[in-house]
Amino acid sequence: MTLTGSGSAYDPPAGPAPRRPAAPYPAREHGPPRRLDRRVALVTGASSGIGAATARRFAMDGWQLLLTGRDRNRLEQTASGTSAVVLPADLAAPDGPRLLARSALHTTGRVDVLVAGAGIGWAGPFATMPHTDIDRVLALDLNATLHLVREVLPSMIAAGRGRVVLLGSIAGCVGVREEAVYSAAKAALAAFSEALRQELRGTGVGVTLVVAGPVDTAFFARRGRPYDRSHPRKISPGSVAGAVWEAVREERDLVYVPAWLALPDRLRGLAPRVFRRLLNRFG
């Protein structure tokens, strides 16, 4: 068993209307003028991989897209041919999530779906992992996601509708050797999704966790080690994007991509000793 990965947000002060806050970078629009009656999706990590594929899938259904990532040129490639608004931002920066949320809400007035897909990895023995890389992985994969959800969520609650989609990983369910911090960050997202889902009962706002296996993106090259395992095989970003789309459409709380990844997660709970023996041998 070899397993691994991938309304307003604030109250304005009394008195004269405040100046509109600047976006992290100037927004740029593509395609025909926006129709603000359309549903709005804010997609992080949209410059490549799962985020870009997810943006394209939502665009196919006519959603108004707000695309964010650090690479403006790649974001504009994703946005090409659509009415998407490009909002480049560094979510790992201390004020990144707040600035992005404000820019998004001032651009379209609302966010109906937040797809939090930005993330990085690091592979190698934990005992040799630089402290700076521990902080870097946790800052983007966990802290930035929580802060962005915190900034966007009040507007969803006020509207009585919305959905937060968190991109998890099977690594967060079972733990993967030499990916300890990445596994920890994704496990924390899984716990966060469950706790937040309970808090939001009755508000009209849902929370979806998408648990994905290895995905054929640049994630592995960027983390410094290619994916060299024979099983499970990498899946396409489009497969995950399709799962995200279906989860939003059907208001699903938990999705595994591919679906069979639910089995090792269940085995861990039902037969932990058997699970650990298999993980020690094949993990």
Side-chain angles (χ1 to χ4, degrees), residues 190-218:
F192 172 67
S193 71
E194 187 60 53
L196 187 61
R197 189 178 300 117
Q198 294 177 41
E199 287 187 28
L200 295 175
R201 289 177 60 188
T203 66
V205 181
V207 180
T208 297
L209 178 68
V210 178
V211 179
V215 184
D216 190 10
T217 70

mmCIF file with all atom_site columns, all heavy atoms in Angstrom, residues 190-218:
data_model
loop_
_atom_site.group_PDB
_atom_site.id
_atom_site.type_symbol
_atom_site.label_atom_id
_atom_site.label_alt_id
_atom_site.label_comp_id
_atom_site.label_asym_id
_atom_site.label_entity_id
_atom_site.label_seq_id
_atom_site.pdbx_PDB_ins_code
_atom_site.Cartn_x
_atom_site.Cartn_y
_atom_site.Cartn_z
_atom_site.occupancy
_atom_site.B_iso_or_equiv
_atom_site.pdbx_formal_charge
_atom_site.auth_seq_id
_atom_site.auth_comp_id
_atom_site.auth_asym_id
_atom_site.auth_atom_id
_atom_site.pdbx_PDB_model_num
ATOM 1   N N   . ALA A 1 190 ? -8.344  18.084 7.281   1.00 0.00 ? 190 ALA A N   1
ATOM 2   C CA  . ALA A 1 190 ? -9.457  17.140 7.404   1.00 0.00 ? 190 ALA A CA  1
ATOM 3   C C   . ALA A 1 190 ? -10.219 17.371 8.701   1.00 0.00 ? 190 ALA A C   1
ATOM 4   O O   . ALA A 1 190 ? -11.461 17.402 8.723   1.00 0.00 ? 190 ALA A O   1
ATOM 5   C CB  . ALA A 1 190 ? -8.942  15.707 7.323   1.00 0.00 ? 190 ALA A CB  1
ATOM 6   N N   . ALA A 1 191 ? -9.497  17.545 9.808   1.00 0.00 ? 191 ALA A N   1
ATOM 7   C CA  . ALA A 1 191 ? -10.146 17.809 11.093  1.00 0.00 ? 191 ALA A CA  1
ATOM 8   C C   . ALA A 1 191 ? -10.867 19.152 11.067  1.00 0.00 ? 191 ALA A C   1
ATOM 9   O O   . ALA A 1 191 ? -11.980 19.294 11.595  1.00 0.00 ? 191 ALA A O   1
ATOM 10  C CB  . ALA A 1 191 ? -9.114  17.770 12.218  1.00 0.00 ? 191 ALA A CB  1
ATOM 11  N N   . PHE A 1 192 ? -10.239 20.137 10.459  1.00 0.00 ? 192 PHE A N   1
ATOM 12  C CA  . PHE A 1 192 ? -10.848 21.461 10.343  1.00 0.00 ? 192 PHE A CA  1
ATOM 13  C C   . PHE A 1 192 ? -12.155 21.389 9.561   1.00 0.00 ? 192 PHE A C   1
ATOM 14  O O   . PHE A 1 192 ? -13.157 22.011 9.944   1.00 0.00 ? 192 PHE A O   1
ATOM 15  C CB  . PHE A 1 192 ? -9.866  22.413 9.665   1.00 0.00 ? 192 PHE A CB  1
ATOM 16  C CG  . PHE A 1 192 ? -10.432 23.752 9.311   1.00 0.00 ? 192 PHE A CG  1
ATOM 17  C CD1 . PHE A 1 192 ? -10.803 24.653 10.305  1.00 0.00 ? 192 PHE A CD1 1
ATOM 18  C CD2 . PHE A 1 192 ? -10.597 24.119 7.984   1.00 0.00 ? 192 PHE A CD2 1
ATOM 19  C CE1 . PHE A 1 192 ? -11.328 25.902 9.974   1.00 0.00 ? 192 PHE A CE1 1
ATOM 20  C CE2 . PHE A 1 192 ? -11.112 25.358 7.646   1.00 0.00 ? 192 PHE A CE2 1
ATOM 21  C CZ  . PHE A 1 192 ? -11.485 26.250 8.649   1.00 0.00 ? 192 PHE A CZ  1
ATOM 22  N N   . SER A 1 193 ? -12.164 20.638 8.470   1.00 0.00 ? 193 SER A N   1
ATOM 23  C CA  . SER A 1 193 ? -13.369 20.545 7.647   1.00 0.00 ? 193 SER A CA  1
ATOM 24  C C   . SER A 1 193 ? -14.529 19.952 8.438   1.00 0.00 ? 193 SER A C   1
ATOM 25  O O   . SER A 1 193 ? -15.671 20.416 8.334   1.00 0.00 ? 193 SER A O   1
ATOM 26  C CB  . SER A 1 193 ? -13.104 19.717 6.384   1.00 0.00 ? 193 SER A CB  1
ATOM 27  O OG  . SER A 1 193 ? -12.934 18.342 6.695   1.00 0.00 ? 193 SER A OG  1
ATOM 28  N N   . GLU A 1 194 ? -14.243 18.942 9.248   1.00 0.00 ? 194 GLU A N   1
ATOM 29  C CA  . GLU A 1 194 ? -15.304 18.308 10.033  1.00 0.00 ? 194 GLU A CA  1
ATOM 30  C C   . GLU A 1 194 ? -15.820 19.247 11.116  1.00 0.00 ? 194 GLU A C   1
ATOM 31  O O   . GLU A 1 194 ? -17.036 19.380 11.320  1.00 0.00 ? 194 GLU A O   1
ATOM 32  C CB  . GLU A 1 194 ? -14.785 17.018 10.655  1.00 0.00 ? 194 GLU A CB  1
ATOM 33  C CG  . GLU A 1 194 ? -15.864 16.198 11.346  1.00 0.00 ? 194 GLU A CG  1
ATOM 34  C CD  . GLU A 1 194 ? -16.969 15.770 10.393  1.00 0.00 ? 194 GLU A CD  1
ATOM 35  O OE1 . GLU A 1 194 ? -16.658 15.185 9.344   1.00 0.00 ? 194 GLU A OE1 1
ATOM 36  O OE2 . GLU A 1 194 ? -18.154 16.075 10.684  1.00 0.00 ? 194 GLU A OE2 1
ATOM 37  N N   . ALA A 1 195 ? -14.899 19.895 11.825  1.00 0.00 ? 195 ALA A N   1
ATOM 38  C CA  . ALA A 1 195 ? -15.314 20.813 12.885  1.00 0.00 ? 195 ALA A CA  1
ATOM 39  C C   . ALA A 1 195 ? -16.102 21.990 12.316  1.00 0.00 ? 195 ALA A C   1
ATOM 40  O O   . ALA A 1 195 ? -17.139 22.393 12.876  1.00 0.00 ? 195 ALA A O   1
ATOM 41  C CB  . ALA A 1 195 ? -14.080 21.317 13.640  1.00 0.00 ? 195 ALA A CB  1
ATOM 42  N N   . LEU A 1 196 ? -15.631 22.549 11.209  1.00 0.00 ? 196 LEU A N   1
ATOM 43  C CA  . LEU A 1 196 ? -16.313 23.690 10.611  1.00 0.00 ? 196 LEU A CA  1
ATOM 44  C C   . LEU A 1 196 ? -17.682 23.288 10.078  1.00 0.00 ? 196 LEU A C   1
ATOM 45  O O   . LEU A 1 196 ? -18.656 24.052 10.200  1.00 0.00 ? 196 LEU A O   1
ATOM 46  C CB  . LEU A 1 196 ? -15.454 24.274 9.491   1.00 0.00 ? 196 LEU A CB  1
ATOM 47  C CG  . LEU A 1 196 ? -15.955 25.577 8.864   1.00 0.00 ? 196 LEU A CG  1
ATOM 48  C CD1 . LEU A 1 196 ? -16.035 26.685 9.909   1.00 0.00 ? 196 LEU A CD1 1
ATOM 49  C CD2 . LEU A 1 196 ? -15.060 25.991 7.699   1.00 0.00 ? 196 LEU A CD2 1
ATOM 50  N N   . ARG A 1 197 ? -17.784 22.104 9.514   1.00 0.00 ? 197 ARG A N   1
ATOM 51  C CA  . ARG A 1 197 ? -19.069 21.621 9.004   1.00 0.00 ? 197 ARG A CA  1
ATOM 52  C C   . ARG A 1 197 ? -20.111 21.565 10.117  1.00 0.00 ? 197 ARG A C   1
ATOM 53  O O   . ARG A 1 197 ? -21.271 21.941 9.923   1.00 0.00 ? 197 ARG A O   1
ATOM 54  C CB  . ARG A 1 197 ? -18.877 20.247 8.368   1.00 0.00 ? 197 ARG A CB  1
ATOM 55  C CG  . ARG A 1 197 ? -20.084 19.731 7.605   1.00 0.00 ? 197 ARG A CG  1
ATOM 56  C CD  . ARG A 1 197 ? -19.785 18.389 6.973   1.00 0.00 ? 197 ARG A CD  1
ATOM 57  N NE  . ARG A 1 197 ? -18.676 18.470 6.028   1.00 0.00 ? 197 ARG A NE  1
ATOM 58  C CZ  . ARG A 1 197 ? -17.530 17.823 6.169   1.00 0.00 ? 197 ARG A CZ  1
ATOM 59  N NH1 . ARG A 1 197 ? -17.322 17.063 7.239   1.00 0.00 ? 197 ARG A NH1 1
ATOM 60  N NH2 . ARG A 1 197 ? -16.582 17.951 5.265   1.00 0.00 ? 197 ARG A NH2 1
ATOM 61  N N   . GLN A 1 198 ? -19.684 21.113 11.285  1.00 0.00 ? 198 GLN A N   1
ATOM 62  C CA  . GLN A 1 198 ? -20.611 21.057 12.410  1.00 0.00 ? 198 GLN A CA  1
ATOM 63  C C   . GLN A 1 198 ? -21.028 22.458 12.849  1.00 0.00 ? 198 GLN A C   1
ATOM 64  O O   . GLN A 1 198 ? -22.197 22.702 13.166  1.00 0.00 ? 198 GLN A O   1
ATOM 65  C CB  . GLN A 1 198 ? -19.959 20.315 13.577  1.00 0.00 ? 198 GLN A CB  1
ATOM 66  C CG  . GLN A 1 198 ? -19.682 18.843 13.297  1.00 0.00 ? 198 GLN A CG  1
ATOM 67  C CD  . GLN A 1 198 ? -18.973 18.172 14.457  1.00 0.00 ? 198 GLN A CD  1
ATOM 68  O OE1 . GLN A 1 198 ? -19.294 18.411 15.604  1.00 0.00 ? 198 GLN A OE1 1
ATOM 69  N NE2 . GLN A 1 198 ? -17.999 17.338 14.146  1.00 0.00 ? 198 GLN A NE2 1
ATOM 70  N N   . GLU A 1 199 ? -20.086 23.391 12.877  1.00 0.00 ? 199 GLU A N   1
ATOM 71  C CA  . GLU A 1 199 ? -20.400 24.761 13.271  1.00 0.00 ? 199 GLU A CA  1
ATOM 72  C C   . GLU A 1 199 ? -21.409 25.414 12.330  1.00 0.00 ? 199 GLU A C   1
ATOM 73  O O   . GLU A 1 199 ? -22.220 26.241 12.757  1.00 0.00 ? 199 GLU A O   1
ATOM 74  C CB  . GLU A 1 199 ? -19.135 25.612 13.289  1.00 0.00 ? 199 GLU A CB  1
ATOM 75  C CG  . GLU A 1 199 ? -18.188 25.344 14.448  1.00 0.00 ? 199 GLU A CG  1
ATOM 76  C CD  . GLU A 1 199 ? -17.057 26.367 14.468  1.00 0.00 ? 199 GLU A CD  1
ATOM 77  O OE1 . GLU A 1 199 ? -17.263 27.505 13.987  1.00 0.00 ? 199 GLU A OE1 1
ATOM 78  O OE2 . GLU A 1 199 ? -15.973 26.015 14.965  1.00 0.00 ? 199 GLU A OE2 1
ATOM 79  N N   . LEU A 1 200 ? -21.340 25.055 11.055  1.00 0.00 ? 200 LEU A N   1
ATOM 80  C CA  . LEU A 1 200 ? -22.133 25.743 10.041  1.00 0.00 ? 200 LEU A CA  1
ATOM 81  C C   . LEU A 1 200 ? -23.490 25.104 9.791   1.00 0.00 ? 200 LEU A C   1
ATOM 82  O O   . LEU A 1 200 ? -24.225 25.550 8.902   1.00 0.00 ? 200 LEU A O   1
ATOM 83  C CB  . LEU A 1 200 ? -21.339 25.807 8.728   1.00 0.00 ? 200 LEU A CB  1
ATOM 84  C CG  . LEU A 1 200 ? -20.061 26.649 8.787   1.00 0.00 ? 200 LEU A CG  1
ATOM 85  C CD1 . LEU A 1 200 ? -19.289 26.531 7.476   1.00 0.00 ? 200 LEU A CD1 1
ATOM 86  C CD2 . LEU A 1 200 ? -20.381 28.104 9.085   1.00 0.00 ? 200 LEU A CD2 1
ATOM 87  N N   . ARG A 1 201 ? -23.838 24.104 10.533  1.00 0.00 ? 201 ARG A N   1
ATOM 88  C CA  . ARG A 1 201 ? -25.148 23.470 10.356  1.00 0.00 ? 201 ARG A CA  1
ATOM 89  C C   . ARG A 1 201 ? -26.256 24.499 10.524  1.00 0.00 ? 201 ARG A C   1
ATOM 90  O O   . ARG A 1 201 ? -26.280 25.250 11.488  1.00 0.00 ? 201 ARG A O   1
ATOM 91  C CB  . ARG A 1 201 ? -25.335 22.334 11.369  1.00 0.00 ? 201 ARG A CB  1
ATOM 92  C CG  . ARG A 1 201 ? -24.465 21.115 11.089  1.00 0.00 ? 201 ARG A CG  1
ATOM 93  C CD  . ARG A 1 201 ? -24.660 20.064 12.165  1.00 0.00 ? 201 ARG A CD  1
ATOM 94  N NE  . ARG A 1 201 ? -26.060 19.616 12.240  1.00 0.00 ? 201 ARG A NE  1
ATOM 95  C CZ  . ARG A 1 201 ? -26.529 18.809 13.196  1.00 0.00 ? 201 ARG A CZ  1
ATOM 96  N NH1 . ARG A 1 201 ? -25.735 18.399 14.162  1.00 0.00 ? 201 ARG A NH1 1
ATOM 97  N NH2 . ARG A 1 201 ? -27.787 18.435 13.177  1.00 0.00 ? 201 ARG A NH2 1
ATOM 98  N N   . GLY A 1 202 ? -27.150 24.515 9.553   1.00 0.00 ? 202 GLY A N   1
ATOM 99  C CA  . GLY A 1 202 ? -28.275 25.434 9.610   1.00 0.00 ? 202 GLY A CA  1
ATOM 100 C C   . GLY A 1 202 ? -28.010 26.805 9.028   1.00 0.00 ? 202 GLY A C   1
ATOM 101 O O   . GLY A 1 202 ? -28.930 27.629 8.965   1.00 0.00 ? 202 GLY A O   1
ATOM 102 N N   . THR A 1 203 ? -26.781 27.067 8.591   1.00 0.00 ? 203 THR A N   1
ATOM 103 C CA  . THR A 1 203 ? -26.460 28.390 8.039   1.00 0.00 ? 203 THR A CA  1
ATOM 104 C C   . THR A 1 203 ? -26.653 28.460 6.525   1.00 0.00 ? 203 THR A C   1
ATOM 105 O O   . THR A 1 203 ? -26.658 29.551 5.961   1.00 0.00 ? 203 THR A O   1
ATOM 106 C CB  . THR A 1 203 ? -25.002 28.772 8.341   1.00 0.00 ? 203 THR A CB  1
ATOM 107 O OG1 . THR A 1 203 ? -24.117 27.875 7.630   1.00 0.00 ? 203 THR A OG1 1
ATOM 108 C CG2 . THR A 1 203 ? -24.721 28.719 9.834   1.00 0.00 ? 203 THR A CG2 1
ATOM 109 N N   . GLY A 1 204 ? -26.765 27.313 5.865   1.00 0.00 ? 204 GLY A N   1
ATOM 110 C CA  . GLY A 1 204 ? -26.821 27.284 4.414   1.00 0.00 ? 204 GLY A CA  1
ATOM 111 C C   . GLY A 1 204 ? -25.459 27.195 3.759   1.00 0.00 ? 204 GLY A C   1
ATOM 112 O O   . GLY A 1 204 ? -25.356 27.139 2.531   1.00 0.00 ? 204 GLY A O   1
ATOM 113 N N   . VAL A 1 205 ? -24.396 27.163 4.576   1.00 0.00 ? 205 VAL A N   1
ATOM 114 C CA  . VAL A 1 205 ? -23.026 27.082 4.055   1.00 0.00 ? 205 VAL A CA  1
ATOM 115 C C   . VAL A 1 205 ? -22.489 25.678 4.297   1.00 0.00 ? 205 VAL A C   1
ATOM 116 O O   . VAL A 1 205 ? -22.590 25.153 5.412   1.00 0.00 ? 205 VAL A O   1
ATOM 117 C CB  . VAL A 1 205 ? -22.106 28.120 4.729   1.00 0.00 ? 205 VAL A CB  1
ATOM 118 C CG1 . VAL A 1 205 ? -20.693 28.033 4.160   1.00 0.00 ? 205 VAL A CG1 1
ATOM 119 C CG2 . VAL A 1 205 ? -22.664 29.523 4.547   1.00 0.00 ? 205 VAL A CG2 1
ATOM 120 N N   . GLY A 1 206 ? -21.943 25.065 3.265   1.00 0.00 ? 206 GLY A N   1
ATOM 121 C CA  . GLY A 1 206 ? -21.413 23.711 3.371   1.00 0.00 ? 206 GLY A CA  1
ATOM 122 C C   . GLY A 1 206 ? -19.904 23.673 3.279   1.00 0.00 ? 206 GLY A C   1
ATOM 123 O O   . GLY A 1 206 ? -19.262 24.643 2.851   1.00 0.00 ? 206 GLY A O   1
ATOM 124 N N   . VAL A 1 207 ? -19.343 22.541 3.682   1.00 0.00 ? 207 VAL A N   1
ATOM 125 C CA  . VAL A 1 207 ? -17.897 22.332 3.635   1.00 0.00 ? 207 VAL A CA  1
ATOM 126 C C   . VAL A 1 207 ? -17.627 20.980 2.973   1.00 0.00 ? 207 VAL A C   1
ATOM 127 O O   . VAL A 1 207 ? -18.200 19.965 3.381   1.00 0.00 ? 207 VAL A O   1
ATOM 128 C CB  . VAL A 1 207 ? -17.266 22.343 5.041   1.00 0.00 ? 207 VAL A CB  1
ATOM 129 C CG1 . VAL A 1 207 ? -15.753 22.121 4.945   1.00 0.00 ? 207 VAL A CG1 1
ATOM 130 C CG2 . VAL A 1 207 ? -17.579 23.644 5.764   1.00 0.00 ? 207 VAL A CG2 1
ATOM 131 N N   . THR A 1 208 ? -16.766 20.982 1.983   1.00 0.00 ? 208 THR A N   1
ATOM 132 C CA  . THR A 1 208 ? -16.390 19.765 1.268   1.00 0.00 ? 208 THR A CA  1
ATOM 133 C C   . THR A 1 208 ? -14.900 19.517 1.420   1.00 0.00 ? 208 THR A C   1
ATOM 134 O O   . THR A 1 208 ? -14.099 20.441 1.227   1.00 0.00 ? 208 THR A O   1
ATOM 135 C CB  . THR A 1 208 ? -16.729 19.874 -0.230  1.00 0.00 ? 208 THR A CB  1
ATOM 136 O OG1 . THR A 1 208 ? -18.140 20.004 -0.395  1.00 0.00 ? 208 THR A OG1 1
ATOM 137 C CG2 . THR A 1 208 ? -16.243 18.646 -0.989  1.00 0.00 ? 208 THR A CG2 1
ATOM 138 N N   . LEU A 1 209 ? -14.530 18.297 1.749   1.00 0.00 ? 209 LEU A N   1
ATOM 139 C CA  . LEU A 1 209 ? -13.131 17.880 1.738   1.00 0.00 ? 209 LEU A CA  1
ATOM 140 C C   . LEU A 1 209 ? -12.927 16.918 0.579   1.00 0.00 ? 209 LEU A C   1
ATOM 141 O O   . LEU A 1 209 ? -13.616 15.897 0.492   1.00 0.00 ? 209 LEU A O   1
ATOM 142 C CB  . LEU A 1 209 ? -12.749 17.197 3.051   1.00 0.00 ? 209 LEU A CB  1
ATOM 143 C CG  . LEU A 1 209 ? -11.312 16.672 3.115   1.00 0.00 ? 209 LEU A CG  1
ATOM 144 C CD1 . LEU A 1 209 ? -10.315 17.825 3.123   1.00 0.00 ? 209 LEU A CD1 1
ATOM 145 C CD2 . LEU A 1 209 ? -11.106 15.777 4.344   1.00 0.00 ? 209 LEU A CD2 1
ATOM 146 N N   . VAL A 1 210 ? -12.007 17.257 -0.305  1.00 0.00 ? 210 VAL A N   1
ATOM 147 C CA  . VAL A 1 210 ? -11.672 16.386 -1.434  1.00 0.00 ? 210 VAL A CA  1
ATOM 148 C C   . VAL A 1 210 ? -10.343 15.721 -1.125  1.00 0.00 ? 210 VAL A C   1
ATOM 149 O O   . VAL A 1 210 ? -9.306  16.388 -1.039  1.00 0.00 ? 210 VAL A O   1
ATOM 150 C CB  . VAL A 1 210 ? -11.584 17.188 -2.747  1.00 0.00 ? 210 VAL A CB  1
ATOM 151 C CG1 . VAL A 1 210 ? -11.184 16.273 -3.905  1.00 0.00 ? 210 VAL A CG1 1
ATOM 152 C CG2 . VAL A 1 210 ? -12.922 17.865 -3.044  1.00 0.00 ? 210 VAL A CG2 1
ATOM 153 N N   . VAL A 1 211 ? -10.378 14.409 -0.936  1.00 0.00 ? 211 VAL A N   1
ATOM 154 C CA  . VAL A 1 211 ? -9.186  13.635 -0.609  1.00 0.00 ? 211 VAL A CA  1
ATOM 155 C C   . VAL A 1 211 ? -8.647  13.017 -1.900  1.00 0.00 ? 211 VAL A C   1
ATOM 156 O O   . VAL A 1 211 ? -9.269  12.115 -2.466  1.00 0.00 ? 211 VAL A O   1
ATOM 157 C CB  . VAL A 1 211 ? -9.499  12.539 0.420   1.00 0.00 ? 211 VAL A CB  1
ATOM 158 C CG1 . VAL A 1 211 ? -8.241  11.721 0.731   1.00 0.00 ? 211 VAL A CG1 1
ATOM 159 C CG2 . VAL A 1 211 ? -10.075 13.155 1.689   1.00 0.00 ? 211 VAL A CG2 1
ATOM 160 N N   . ALA A 1 212 ? -7.512  13.514 -2.346  1.00 0.00 ? 212 ALA A N   1
ATOM 161 C CA  . ALA A 1 212 ? -6.949  13.060 -3.616  1.00 0.00 ? 212 ALA A CA  1
ATOM 162 C C   . ALA A 1 212 ? -5.698  12.230 -3.398  1.00 0.00 ? 212 ALA A C   1
ATOM 163 O O   . ALA A 1 212 ? -4.960  12.414 -2.427  1.00 0.00 ? 212 ALA A O   1
ATOM 164 C CB  . ALA A 1 212 ? -6.619  14.257 -4.501  1.00 0.00 ? 212 ALA A CB  1
ATOM 165 N N   . GLY A 1 213 ? -5.457  11.308 -4.322  1.00 0.00 ? 213 GLY A N   1
ATOM 166 C CA  . GLY A 1 213 ? -4.197  10.589 -4.378  1.00 0.00 ? 213 GLY A CA  1
ATOM 167 C C   . GLY A 1 213 ? -3.185  11.403 -5.155  1.00 0.00 ? 213 GLY A C   1
ATOM 168 O O   . GLY A 1 213 ? -3.355  12.614 -5.350  1.00 0.00 ? 213 GLY A O   1
ATOM 169 N N   . PRO A 1 214 ? -2.098  10.795 -5.609  1.00 0.00 ? 214 PRO A N   1
ATOM 170 C CA  . PRO A 1 214 ? -1.095  11.538 -6.385  1.00 0.00 ? 214 PRO A CA  1
ATOM 171 C C   . PRO A 1 214 ? -1.677  12.035 -7.702  1.00 0.00 ? 214 PRO A C   1
ATOM 172 O O   . PRO A 1 214 ? -2.385  11.303 -8.390  1.00 0.00 ? 214 PRO A O   1
ATOM 173 C CB  . PRO A 1 214 ? 0.017   10.507 -6.615  1.00 0.00 ? 214 PRO A CB  1
ATOM 174 C CG  . PRO A 1 214 ? -0.654  9.184  -6.459  1.00 0.00 ? 214 PRO A CG  1
ATOM 175 C CD  . PRO A 1 214 ? -1.735  9.368  -5.445  1.00 0.00 ? 214 PRO A CD  1
ATOM 176 N N   . VAL A 1 215 ? -1.383  13.281 -8.025  1.00 0.00 ? 215 VAL A N   1
ATOM 177 C CA  . VAL A 1 215 ? -1.941  13.901 -9.219  1.00 0.00 ? 215 VAL A CA  1
ATOM 178 C C   . VAL A 1 215 ? -0.795  14.297 -10.143 1.00 0.00 ? 215 VAL A C   1
ATOM 179 O O   . VAL A 1 215 ? 0.268   14.746 -9.696  1.00 0.00 ? 215 VAL A O   1
ATOM 180 C CB  . VAL A 1 215 ? -2.781  15.139 -8.846  1.00 0.00 ? 215 VAL A CB  1
ATOM 181 C CG1 . VAL A 1 215 ? -3.455  15.727 -10.084 1.00 0.00 ? 215 VAL A CG1 1
ATOM 182 C CG2 . VAL A 1 215 ? -3.834  14.769 -7.801  1.00 0.00 ? 215 VAL A CG2 1
ATOM 183 N N   . ASP A 1 216 ? -1.012  14.135 -11.425 1.00 0.00 ? 216 ASP A N   1
ATOM 184 C CA  . ASP A 1 216 ? 0.031   14.384 -12.426 1.00 0.00 ? 216 ASP A CA  1
ATOM 185 C C   . ASP A 1 216 ? 0.179   15.882 -12.672 1.00 0.00 ? 216 ASP A C   1
ATOM 186 O O   . ASP A 1 216 ? -0.335  16.427 -13.656 1.00 0.00 ? 216 ASP A O   1
ATOM 187 C CB  . ASP A 1 216 ? -0.326  13.658 -13.729 1.00 0.00 ? 216 ASP A CB  1
ATOM 188 C CG  . ASP A 1 216 ? 0.833   13.667 -14.722 1.00 0.00 ? 216 ASP A CG  1
ATOM 189 O OD1 . ASP A 1 216 ? 1.953   14.063 -14.329 1.00 0.00 ? 216 ASP A OD1 1
ATOM 190 O OD2 . ASP A 1 216 ? 0.622   13.268 -15.884 1.00 0.00 ? 216 ASP A OD2 1
ATOM 191 N N   . THR A 1 217 ? 0.879   16.547 -11.759 1.00 0.00 ? 217 THR A N   1
ATOM 192 C CA  . THR A 1 217 ? 1.131   17.983 -11.866 1.00 0.00 ? 217 THR A CA  1
ATOM 193 C C   . THR A 1 217 ? 2.597   18.248 -11.568 1.00 0.00 ? 217 THR A C   1
ATOM 194 O O   . THR A 1 217 ? 3.376   17.323 -11.311 1.00 0.00 ? 217 THR A O   1
ATOM 195 C CB  . THR A 1 217 ? 0.264   18.770 -10.858 1.00 0.00 ? 217 THR A CB  1
ATOM 196 O OG1 . THR A 1 217 ? 0.741   18.499 -9.535  1.00 0.00 ? 217 THR A OG1 1
ATOM 197 C CG2 . THR A 1 217 ? -1.201  18.394 -10.968 1.00 0.00 ? 217 THR A CG2 1
ATOM 198 N N   . ALA A 1 218 ? 2.962   19.527 -11.545 1.00 0.00 ? 218 ALA A N   1
ATOM 199 C CA  . ALA A 1 218 ? 4.341   19.915 -11.228 1.00 0.00 ? 218 ALA A CA  1
ATOM 200 C C   . ALA A 1 218 ? 4.613   19.877 -9.729  1.00 0.00 ? 218 ALA A C   1
ATOM 201 O O   . ALA A 1 218 ? 5.723   20.219 -9.304  1.00 0.00 ? 218 ALA A O   1
ATOM 202 C CB  . ALA A 1 218 ? 4.613   21.316 -11.771 1.00 0.00 ? 218 ALA A CB  1
#
